[in-house]
Amino acid sequence: ICLSSEHLFVRYLTEEETEGAAALGSTAAHAAHAAHAADDDTEKKRQREKKGVNEPEKKQRRDEAPAADTPASLVNCLKAEGVKLSEKRFLKVRPYKGKTFVDIREYYEDNDNNLKPGKKGISLAVAQWEFFSKNLQEVDAAFQSCSKEYKLLLPESQKRVTVSNFKGRTLLDIREWYEKDGEFKPGRKGISLTSDQWTAIKSSANGVSAAL
């Protein structure tokens, strides 16, 4: 269709003109598509750069979030099944005769394959645990250096925290001592902790204090 200032007339486009117009339209469409794709790439790049800047902060927040919930779940665990120190050793906070104790104990299986508390272990009163936890760094330093001369006397008892070495392994011993002929000796009531077991207790210390 062609327009003139004097009149309007209609003519059919030739085959060459038709192909030229189609090619021009296709070129324009490709150009528009390329421009749109370039804009998308620029936006995606901008988003990646933005994500790269903010990602460490988001990652840090994700790492920190569980820590805020840990005390509550740990407290519940300590009061129920306990923190597992080994296959049959557990750290628990439990009531006994109206008082609360921190119990570090080895369990055994009865005839029905149920775990029962054994004689090998130690129970700490609240005051004893608080004193022990306040000296945690000191105790750990003695353990790491395998200081056999170290001893921590727990209040209101004959319980002591000492360090020993058995067959090349450093052990942290929490035990009740007794006096004989003017000399103090380690008794049967107590428990010796390996490095992994001691590490588990250190990691749970805040939860134990919160549970008391």
Side-chain angles (χ1 to χ4, degrees):
I1 301 173
C2 300
L3 296 176
S4 172
S5 59
E6 297 178 354
H7 59 275
L8 174 67
F9 68 92
V10 178
R11 74 177 177 84
Y12 293 102
L13 296 176
T14 66
E15 184 176 353
E16 289 79 3
E17 290 174 329
T18 302
E19 291 178 354
L24 181 61
S26 176
T27 302
H30 281 300
H33 178 73
H36 182 69
D39 290 341
D40 284 347
D41 290 341
T42 302
E43 180 62 23
K44 289 179 180 178
K45 184 177 180 181
R46 187 182 298 110
Q47 291 295 332
R48 284 197 300 270
E49 290 175 351
K50 183 179 179 180
K51 183 178 180 181
V53 172
N54 296 333
E55 190 170 5
E57 296 179 2
K58 292 181 179 179
K59 185 176 181 181
Q60 184 178 8
R61 287 196 294 270
R62 287 196 299 268
D63 293 342
E64 291 175 355
D69 299 330
T70 298
S73 59
L74 181 56
V75 165
N76 293 333
C77 178
L78 286 162
K79 290 183 176 181
E81 67 272 16
V83 171
K84 192 172 185 179
L85 304 179
S86 68
E87 188 63 29
K88 293 183 179 180
R89 289 188 172 190
F90 296 87
L91 168 66
K92 294 186 177 184
V93 174
R94 63 180 182 85
Y96 182 71
K97 293 184 178 180
K99 296 183 179 180
T100 304
F101 293 89
V102 178
D103 197 56
I104 307 170
R105 191 163 302 277
E106 187 169 309
Y107 284 62
Y108 69 93
E109 288 185 0
D110 63 10
N111 295 332
D112 297 324
N113 296 324
N114 296 317
L115 287 176
K116 299 291 184 180
K119 294 182 179 179
K120 186 179 291 185
I122 194 77
S123 291
L124 303 180
V126 174
Q128 294 166 1
W129 170 262
E130 289 177 347
F131 183 79
F132 176 65
S133 61
K134 286 179 180 179
N135 291 276
L136 211 62
Q137 291 184 349
E138 176 185 299
V139 173
D140 189 52
F143 179 83
Q144 299 301 332
S145 62
C146 192
S147 177
K148 298 179 182 180
E149 295 78 19
Y150 179 80
K151 62 180 178 181
L152 179 69
L153 306 180
L154 300 182
E156 303 174 5
S157 69
Q158 296 295 342
K159 296 170 185 175
R160 299 185 181 191
V161 181
T162 59
V163 177
S164 61
N165 185 284
F166 182 72
K167 294 183 178 181
R169 293 196 306 171
T170 302
L171 301 174
L172 186 74
D173 196 65
I174 309 175
R175 190 169 301 278
E176 194 164 317
W177 289 52
Y178 67 95
E179 186 179 2
K180 184 178 180 180
D181 300 330
E183 183 180 355
F184 282 96
K185 298 182 179 181
R188 293 183 178 181
K189 293 182 179 181
I191 193 166
S192 294
L193 304 169
T194 64
S195 179
D196 290 342
Q197 294 163 11
W198 167 233
T199 298
I201 291 177
K202 286 189 299 179
S203 301
S204 305
N206 289 337
V208 173
S209 297
L212 293 174

